[in-house]
Amino acid sequence: MASVLAILAAYLIGSISFAVVVSRLFGLSDPRTYGSKNPGATNVLRSGNKAAAALTLLGDGFKGWLAVWLALTFKEQYELGSSTIAAVGLAVFIGHLWPVFFRFVGGKGVATALGVLLAINVWLGVGTFVTWLVVAYAFRYSSLAALIASLFAPFYYGLLFGPDLTLLAVAIMSGLLIYRHGSNIANLMRGKESRIGSKKK
């Protein structure tokens, strides 16, 4: 029962869309109505408000970290096994993609996935973030950086810990992240993808 509640709580935490909440607090347009129409930090940045974008990024990343950290902190008290920890990480990520509080219209999960990885292992998260950073700096495409980093994340985990259920969860997150970037992949292939920092139209 404790495992089920932990997974459900993680999903609900993930369902908090900081892009929408922060935009409302700053009096900005709903990020689901402009740019890529994705409720995420990159799209909020297109509003021109860097503070709102930064808070969105931190909030989405923090909720991923928080859900896994809570599960790890209380795993002995509530007898949460490694399979539950893996499921919690996946649940908070899925909550971001399909949030129950926002009619199941969520973001693409980059920041939340990073938060999950950091909670699992700091070096895993840092390695994945550095991969994103290098690609983003070199090509100025947030989506391309996210795609490449998501491909490397399971590889990094495997190097650190070997095959287990958490590796499976990380691989599923990577697959879902790539799936959610389908339109970005098409735009990249057509040369129409928006670069980091471009303003909304």
Side-chain angles (χ1 to χ4, degrees):
M1 185 62 179
S3 295
V4 174
L5 291 176
I7 295 168
L8 177 60
Y11 171 75
L12 294 176
I13 290 172
S15 290
I16 301 171
S17 178
F18 280 90
V20 178
V21 173
V22 170
S23 292
R24 288 177 181 173
L25 290 175
F26 277 76
L28 303 174
S29 299
D30 190 319
R32 296 170 293 182
T33 63
Y34 63 80
S36 65
K37 295 181 171 58
N38 173 60
T42 301
N43 202 38
V44 172
L45 184 60
R46 294 189 177 103
S47 71
N49 194 313
K50 294 181 180 179
L55 283 176
T56 298
L57 181 66
L58 290 173
D60 284 344
F62 176 72
K63 69 184 181 184
W65 175 86
L66 177 64
V68 177
W69 178 81
L70 287 172
L72 288 170
T73 299
F74 295 102
K75 67 177 182 178
E76 293 183 3
Q77 182 176 346
Y78 293 101
E79 299 181 346
L80 304 178
S82 58
S83 59
T84 299
I85 304 300
V88 162
L90 188 56
V92 68
F93 179 74
I94 289 175
H96 179 80
L97 301 189
W98 294 287
V100 66
F101 303 133
F102 296 92
R103 300 180 181 179
F104 302 101
V105 178
K108 296 177 181 178
V110 178
T112 303
L114 178 59
V116 170
L117 297 179
L118 284 169
I120 292 172
N121 181 269
V122 172
W123 293 114
L124 172 64
V126 169
T128 305
F129 175 68
V130 169
T131 302
W132 182 95
L133 199 62
V134 169
V135 177
Y137 180 80
F139 298 99
R140 305 300 296 173
Y141 289 114
S142 175
S143 57
L144 179 63
L147 289 166
I148 293 176
S150 68
L151 290 173
F152 273 91
F155 172 72
Y156 292 151
Y157 184 91
L159 285 178
L160 288 169
F161 305 107
D164 59 17
L165 288 174
T166 303
L167 174 58
L168 177 60
V170 172
I172 292 173
M173 283 196 300
S174 295
L176 287 173
L177 193 147
I178 293 170
Y179 166 74
R180 294 287 285 189
H181 279 78
S183 61
N184 301 93
I185 294 172
N187 286 335
L188 284 167
M189 294 178 68
R190 293 196 300 264
K192 296 183 177 180
E193 180 72 346
S194 298
R195 292 180 182 270
I196 295 174
S198 62
K199 299 295 180 65
K200 68 177 181 179
K201 296 182 180 180

